[in-house]
Structure formats: C-alpha cells, structure tokens
Amino acid sequence: METIMWTVDKNVDNLKTYPQILEAAQKLKENEVVAFPTETVYGLGGNAKSDDAVLKIFEAKGRPGDNPLIVHISDREQIHSFVKAIPEKAKSLMDAFWPGPLTIILEQKSGVLSQKATAGLSTVAVRMPDHPVALALIEASGLPLAAPSANLSGKPSPTAAAHVADDLSGRISGIVDGGATGVGVESTVVDCTAEVPVILRPGGVTREQLEEVVGEVSADPALKDADQAPKAPGMKYRHYAPNAPFYLVNGTSAQIQELVQEKRNEGLKVGVMTTLENKDFYDANVVIACGERSRLETVAEALYDTLRAFNQEDLDIIYGEVFPEHGVGQAVMNRLTKASGLAIIDK
C-alpha cells in the first residue's frame, strides 16, 4: 500500500477547505485510515461508525482487539448522536478542558458506533483535540474518528509525522503532516459514569486541575497496583518501549552510574535517560537529556522523542531516572513504568 504524505500549515485560514485536508477527509469517508496531528501525539484515525475502518486501525497498529479506541470529535454537538447522557460533572470538565488533552468516558447509545471501536463495552471514550489540523480534518470528514496513537502497538507514541512514517509507512492510506505536537503525552482519561470521576489514565490534564473544577476525583487502583485488573482494557499492555531493555532506577545519580559501569565492564553498550540538570554527570555510551527536571512539562514534551532516539543507537541496555509523581509527573511516570514493563530497580 502506498502511504500518501500531505503537508499542511496549521496556521492557514479555512483549513477545512484546504485541498490536502479534503483529500485526507475523502479517504476517511471511504473507510480508509489516516494519521493526523493532535496537541498530544499523532493519532491514527478511522470512521468510528465502521467496523471495516476500525479493523484497519487495529491491523495497521498490530493492536489487541480488546483495547478500546478514543473517539475524536470537532464539535460538542456531535456527541449527542452516540452518547445517552452527559452528567453535570462531565459538562463542567468539557467546559474547562475542551478542546484539549482530556478524554471523557460516557455511556454510549447502542447501534451508532462500531462495537469494535469500543471493544464491546457499554461506554465510549470521547475527546475534542486542541489542534487546528485535527479539528479541520474531523469536520471535513463529517465523521467521529476513532483514533489511537499512530504507532506500532507497544512502541513509543509519535510526536512528529516522521515517527508515524517510520512505523506505519505502507500500512495506512496517508499521513497529514501538521508539524510537531505539543503536550507530548496522551490525553488524561476520566470515567464520568459514576458520581465521583475516576482517572483511568493520567495525561495532559492533571488530577489537581480536574479537582479544581469538579471536586473529588479518584484514580483507578490499577494505576498503582500491577495485580489489579484495569478498567480500561488497553491499560494492561506494555507500551512505549524502546528496542533495548529499559530499566527505571529509583536511586541517586551516583547509584545509576554504578549500574552503568557494571554493565560496561561486562562489555555491554549502555544508555542513560536523564535530564539537562544531570546530563554531564553520567559516563555511558549514550546519554540523552529528556527535558528539565525542574520543569516536568518539558520532560512530558520530550518523552517519546527521547525513547525513539535510543532506537537510533545500538544499545544493550538503558537506565532511566524516575520523577516525582505530582502534576504532569504522574503521566510521565505512568508512561515510563509501562515502557520498562514495570522493571524498576530500587537502590
């Protein structure tokens, strides 16, 4: 399959009539799948009402079928066609954070969306992305778009069109190149079907921000306890992993360097994921700074690009620092623990 690359300037007026957007939207109307930028990562979009389109998403990614997809919309009015009701707390969160990196889970109407998109659940995850190219493409297609991240399942999520091409060229119809994304980590997923909203996945909107709007917010126990079954099926899989074995180290920089030296003494090539503050401390084969520890939002922005950068090196093992789990740090650590497959070394 030939994968078309459409380059779009996100600052152009009337994007929904831009020829490249119209061509990509036509592919979506034909139940093909197309990658496009959002403010978090690139998504792989397909008609959320079509079993055929949704199956193409799963096939292109190599994604397990029990992993539900997020449905993306461009206008809040779209949501009424496929959800039963919008609770008051969900409305408040939409008012505060849409468009933006927040996904809200609601009860869905039967017979509207592909049940393959929702993995047979009675609920649907919905968000409105805060990216002009994404909104224009959704509007031009006239469809709600099921769209997971546009990468091979298990690999680091893509924050640039080149990342998508690396993973999916020849497997999808096209890629809309709208430049680099912003937030870096995916959207926060919040279940609003109960009285107290529940965070199923931390992301670009923090728990503290959510609680400022709706009061008490709880977190899925599976986020902390690997033995708990997650409520969102896709959360049980390893994600974001670089090619070489990746270990998080809960210890000092000196303790990480000791581990590095042990492996180098064994003749192994070792990488370290750190931040700008500590970059010059380490003596390893490859040292990559992922943002600034003093500004965790920069770590989130650079996270997936950093994990992919390690794949350009011929490494045997990678060690990574841990981060405080407040604000967006919770999302960063969630992704890093999944990338490591829960391989954490406590020193």
Side-chain angles (χ1 to χ4, degrees):
M1 176 190 300
E2 179 187 0
T3 299
I4 303 168
M5 182 74 79
W6 297 285
T7 301
V8 177
D9 180 354
K10 68 180 181 181
N11 298 310
V12 170
D13 292 333
N14 299 316
L15 264 173
K16 66 181 180 181
T17 61
Y18 209 58
Q20 289 89 330
I21 292 290
L22 294 176
E23 288 179 22
Q26 183 58 39
K27 290 289 186 183
L28 292 166
K29 293 176 185 178
E30 295 168 0
N31 290 334
E32 297 296 336
V33 293
V34 171
F36 61 92
T38 75
E39 81 283 16
T40 57
V41 300
Y42 270 71
L44 181 58
N47 180 0
K49 297 180 179 181
S50 165
D51 285 351
D52 184 40
V54 173
L55 281 172
K56 288 177 181 177
I57 293 172
F58 282 113
E59 289 168 1
K61 283 179 61 70
R63 182 182 176 105
D66 66 345
N67 197 342
L69 308 179
I70 295 172
V71 175
H72 292 62
I73 60 173
S74 59
D75 187 308
R76 276 175 62 167
E77 290 303 310
Q78 286 179 279
I79 204 171
H80 297 292
S81 68
F82 58 83
V83 303
K84 290 181 178 178
I86 305 176
E88 285 304 315
K89 288 184 179 179
K91 289 179 182 176
S92 296
L93 291 174
M94 292 174 187
D95 289 341
F97 301 111
W98 277 13
L102 179 67
T103 293
I104 298 175
I105 293 180
L106 301 165
E107 293 287 342
Q108 66 166 313
K109 292 179 180 177
S110 61
V112 180
L113 300 175
S114 165
Q115 287 303 288
K116 297 185 184 301
T118 56
L121 300 173
S122 63
T123 55
V124 59
V126 193
R127 94 174 184 99
M128 185 189 299
D130 188 16
H131 195 292
V133 172
L135 294 173
L137 181 63
I138 297 166
E139 185 175 356
S141 73
L143 299 166
L145 298 184
S149 55
N151 56 290
L152 288 173
S153 191
K155 296 301 181 183
S157 298
T159 54
H163 298 162
V164 182
D166 287 344
D167 280 10
L168 300 179
S169 185
R171 301 170 69 96
I172 62 176
S173 288
I175 302 167
V176 181
D177 182 355
T181 60
V183 176
V185 292
E186 294 89 346
S187 61
T188 303
V189 178
V190 179
D191 186 346
C192 285
T193 61
E195 176 60 28
V196 176
V198 181
I199 297 173
L200 301 187
R201 181 181 73 184
V205 177
T206 68
R207 182 173 183 168
E208 294 86 346
Q209 290 173 311
L210 296 170
E211 290 184 330
E212 285 180 9
V213 176
V214 294
E216 181 186 2
V217 174
S218 64
D220 184 357
L223 292 175
K224 287 291 187 183
D225 186 351
D227 294 328
Q228 290 275 346
K231 293 180 180 178
M235 294 297 286
K236 69 186 178 186
Y237 295 104
R238 187 181 185 209
H239 292 292
Y240 321 116
N243 293 337
F246 177 58
Y247 295 87
L248 289 174
V249 183
N250 186 17
T252 65
S253 299
Q255 289 170 326
I256 295 173
Q257 182 58 42
E258 287 177 8
L259 292 171
V260 170
Q261 197 56 51
E262 286 175 11
K263 295 302 180 182
R264 295 188 76 187
N265 289 343
E266 295 172 13
L268 300 181
K269 293 185 67 176
V270 185
V272 174
M273 193 189 87
T274 179
T275 57
L276 284 172
E277 291 93 334
N278 295 336
K279 187 173 188 285
D280 293 334
F281 176 85
Y282 294 105
D283 180 17
N285 297 92
V286 176
V287 179
I288 300 180
C290 181
E292 301 172 47
R293 178 171 290 272
S294 58
R295 296 195 302 140
L296 290 179
E297 69 275 12
T298 66
V299 177
E301 290 167 11
L303 185 61
Y304 295 136
D305 197 43
T306 300
L307 291 172
R308 283 181 174 267
F310 280 115
N311 290 342
Q312 307 304 312
E313 310 291 342
D314 183 22
L315 296 173
D316 297 303
I317 190 169
I318 304 165
Y319 292 114
E321 297 176 347
V322 300
F323 296 91
E325 294 193 50
H326 60 72
V328 76
Q330 186 181 15
V332 168
M333 284 303 297
N334 172 266
R335 303 318 192 269
L336 286 176
T337 53
K338 287 186 174 299
S340 70
L342 302 179
I344 302 176
I345 299 172
D346 284 308
K347 300 298 288 183

